[in-house]
Amino acid sequence: MLKPLTAAVVLLLGLAPAAVAAPKPNVLLILADDLGYSDLGCYGGEIATPRLDALAQNGVRFTQFYNTARCWPSRAVLLTGFYAQQVHRDRLPTVAGGANGVRQAWARLLPDFLKAAGYRSYHTGKWHVDGKVLAGGFDRSQSMANPGNFFSSRGTAVDDVAQKAPADEKGYYNTIATADHAVACLKDHAANHAGKPFFQYVAFHAPHFPLHALPDDIARYRDRYLDGWDALRNARFAKQKQLGIGTGTLAAVERDLGPPYRYPEAYAKLGPGEAPLPLPWGDLTPEQRRFQATKMAIHAAMVDRMDREIGRILDQLRAMRAYDNTLVVFASDNGASAEIMVRDGGHDPAAAPGSAASYLCLGPGFSGACNTPFRRHKTWVHEGGISTPFIAHWPAGIAARGALRHTPAHFIDFVPTVLELAGVQKPREWAGVRIPAAPGVSLVPAFAADVTIRRDFLWWLHEGNRAVRVGDFKLVAASGKAWELYDMRTDRAEQHDLAGAMPEKARELAEVWQRQTTAFTELAR
């Protein structure tokens, strides 16, 4: 007789009863850093991403998937299944938290729970979670500090042991090194642990600033963006409508909205080509247009290279005959970034853009284009900051091919989804301490059909930017600003504020946001 959980999974995914005897699925989570909603070809972009596009074409794409608007909260959510504020990994109004916050003892990471089902777990790339990697349940790790230089291995630790960067790092590039280690873990697994399922977490730094890319990769895009960010937004939105993703309107550019943090000294270092505001492209000087187009070319090159390296990881899955029974999930930790700064090794204006001696950031003009069709950027909780591409591909378990999934979903849902597929019942306590109920729900039903996953709300708070979504209505506010209300069915671009016309609905959602904030505060204390 089928166990209840296994039987449910078989029914929901439309598998034949014989599939119950198949091995538990492997899980490969691939996370990009500062990737825009529309950067991938399968989400409307012009960047060459054929490997990720193929996963989408042979799996499902979610159109309303959300992250937390920032790197470290998103990673905490993906690995714990809790909102980051619940586990001290982002601030609440009266409770400290953030990049240096330490999780409670009960806030275990996913690998701890997967061990009960015989899984081995591997991590490669950015960590940005508190504590050591292996202490979080992973069996192997190569963690890389947030790179001030994609051409240096400085800050790398292998299995939590710091590594000394070699004197000569010619040939090193962070994105390639990330794939190298991921492939090595898979080869080791095939050779020594073939009878066990695995969870592999590959966290690329690309395309986070500094914009560093290989010369040949940059050359493929060097003149691609000379028509500017306005033309790019329009082209991407037109493609999104063809793909069935862009069904609403295109957000208007907020011409007076620049980076979320001000570093005026950076503009002097970067020179007259920098543009801190997304002005109409024709209003820029020729020098500014060339400089901005070059930055976007480097961003595209970083995404292109990431896709190529993902291809190597997928090839290894095929070589070890694990491809069909591996759930591959791809997402971004937040929207594209409008930040402009110079740090770490600084910026040499004479250096080739994208080289190790340069330090460039994408900035608000092209960041807005990368987040097409939405409004705003990383750190804000308007749709541009929190909307992520989300691809799920699993030949043995997802029958759909190239289908869209429109249900609102969030990183809080990743842990319960994986636990259900692995047949793991999450324990109610850890080391004698009760584990609170987690807010996420399993997405397994959405893998089978375009159904709406029932939930009470989705909630956001980051650096004073706040939002809540209940059904099709979203209440959102930038830090220090009044609430705005939008109907997500027709206005995900957040262009028509309904707060004045529907004050009772706005008040209802504000009460939900405050009630959950209070509840999260009680848990986090």
Side-chain angles (χ1 to χ4, degrees):
M1 181 178 293
L2 296 177
K3 293 182 179 180
L5 180 62
T6 305
V9 173
V10 171
L11 178 63
L12 288 166
L13 297 186
L15 301 177
V20 177
K24 296 179 185 295
N26 308 304
V27 179
L28 169 59
L29 169 61
I30 305 172
L31 191 66
D33 199 333
D34 289 7
L35 181 84
Y37 181 80
S38 67
D39 274 334
L40 305 184
C42 56
Y43 276 84
E46 73 298 323
I47 302 172
T49 55
R51 292 88 181 167
L52 288 167
D53 295 348
L55 292 179
Q57 187 60 38
N58 293 286
V60 296
R61 279 165 293 165
F62 285 72
T63 63
Q64 297 193 77
F65 215 101
Y66 292 116
N67 50 47
T68 74
R70 200 66 178 273
C71 41
W72 62 86
S74 284
R75 292 157 208 279
V77 175
L78 278 170
L79 292 179
T80 67
F82 289 90
Y83 286 107
Q85 291 80 0
Q86 293 179 284
V87 295
H88 300 161
R89 294 297 294 162
D90 207 350
R91 288 193 70 252
L92 284 159
T94 60
V95 179
N100 295 317
V102 178
R103 289 170 291 123
Q104 302 92 323
W106 52 260
R108 311 308 301 176
L109 305 186
L110 178 59
D112 274 335
F113 302 127
L114 291 177
K115 285 184 184 297
Y119 279 74
R120 285 181 60 82
S121 295
Y122 309 110
H123 159 264
T124 307
K126 189 169 182 175
W127 181 233
H128 228 170
V129 179
D130 59 303
K132 298 291 188 180
V133 184
L134 300 192
F138 287 90
D139 295 286
R140 292 187 61 182
S141 168
Q142 178 173 285
S143 62
M144 302 162 171
N146 201 32
N149 193 326
F150 275 77
F151 297 101
S152 173
S153 64
R154 177 173 54 87
T156 296
V158 174
D159 296 339
D160 293 326
V161 178
Q163 306 294 298
K164 183 177 180 180
D168 182 4
E169 295 201 274
K170 185 178 180 180
Y172 178 90
Y173 185 64
N174 179 282
T175 304
I176 295 174
T178 299
D180 285 344
H181 184 262
V183 169
C185 287
L186 287 174
K187 288 182 176 180
D188 176 71
H189 187 92
N192 299 305
H193 309 283
K196 293 186 175 184
F198 61 80
F199 166 54
Q200 185 171 40
Y201 172 38
V202 181
F204 286 99
H205 287 90
H208 192 286
F209 59 83
L211 298 176
H212 281 169
L214 300 172
D216 289 347
D217 293 345
I218 298 173
R220 284 190 284 273
Y221 298 93
R222 186 172 304 281
D223 297 328
R224 177 66 181 79
Y225 299 104
L226 287 172
D227 288 340
W229 44 60
D230 296 322
L232 183 61
R233 292 175 76 248
N234 291 331
R236 287 191 175 190
F237 186 55
K239 183 177 177 182
Q240 286 175 332
K241 288 194 288 187
Q242 293 176 351
L243 294 172
I245 293 173
T247 56
T249 58
L250 177 62
V253 179
E254 297 177 85
R255 301 292 185 186
D256 60 348
L257 183 71
Y261 315 107
R262 301 290 176 167
Y263 298 101
E265 70 281 1
Y267 304 139
K269 298 175 182 177
L270 293 166
E274 193 50 89
L277 292 175
L279 300 175
W281 189 251
D283 290 356
L284 301 182
T285 67
E287 184 175 7
Q288 286 177 313
R289 291 197 291 269
R290 176 75 261 185
F291 187 73
Q292 299 300 315
T294 297
K295 292 199 300 177
M296 182 61 203
I298 302 168
H299 174 90
M302 296 173 80
V303 176
D304 182 315
R305 173 53 55 183
M306 178 177 63
D307 182 81
R308 292 168 187 265
E309 298 310 310
I310 288 170
R312 290 206 293 130
I313 299 171
L314 299 177
D315 286 344
Q316 176 56 34
L317 288 177
R318 295 184 183 97
M320 57 196 281
R321 299 184 178 180
Y323 185 78
D324 286 350
N325 198 36
T326 297
L327 169 63
V328 181
V329 170
F330 176 88
S332 177
D333 62 351
N334 43 248
S337 174
E339 295 163 281
I340 297 176
M341 64 182 73
V342 175
R343 61 187 189 191
D344 296 300
H347 172 70
D348 180 358
S355 67
S358 68
Y359 199 102
L360 305 175
C361 300
L362 190 58
F366 276 114
S367 173
C370 292
N371 293 329
T372 299
F374 303 129
R375 177 182 169 197
R376 302 207 169 180
H377 323 264
K378 169 185 175 181
T379 75
W380 282 281
V381 296
H382 288 75
E383 293 291 284
I386 60 176
S387 296
T388 174
F390 191 91
I391 300 169
H393 174 275
W394 178 22
I398 298 177
R401 297 291 181 266
L404 300 178
R405 297 294 185 253
H406 300 293
T407 185
H410 189 285
F411 279 0
I412 56 173
D413 302 326
F414 179 71
V415 166
T417 301
V418 173
L419 292 182
E420 178 172 350
L421 294 176
V424 174
Q425 187 69 43
K426 187 177 177 181
R428 296 184 178 181
E429 64 176 43
W430 189 272
V433 179
R434 183 182 68 87
I435 299 177
V441 294
S442 172
L443 299 176
V444 167
F447 288 169
D450 189 19
V451 298
T452 297
I453 302 295
R454 289 186 171 273
R455 67 177 79 241
D456 293 333
F457 64 89
L458 291 170
W459 176 95
W460 291 268
L461 175 63
H462 183 64
E463 296 194 347
N465 302 310
R466 57 203 189 278
V468 64
R469 178 166 175 169
V470 178
D472 290 318
F473 283 94
K474 178 185 174 186
L475 194 70
V476 60
S479 180
K481 302 296 184 180
W483 285 116
E484 304 163 3
L485 179 67
Y486 299 101
D487 185 343
M488 294 286 103
R489 291 171 297 184
T490 58
D491 190 22
R492 279 193 71 200
E494 298 170 316
Q495 298 298 286
H496 305 290
D497 181 8
L498 302 174
M502 303 178 68
E504 291 185 4
K505 176 60 72 172
R507 186 161 48 249
E508 172 192 332
L509 265 66
E511 290 173 354
V512 172
W513 185 87
Q514 187 57 59
R515 186 164 56 249
Q516 299 310 319
T517 302
T518 300
F520 294 161
T521 299
E522 290 299 317
L523 177 62
R525 278 179 176 153

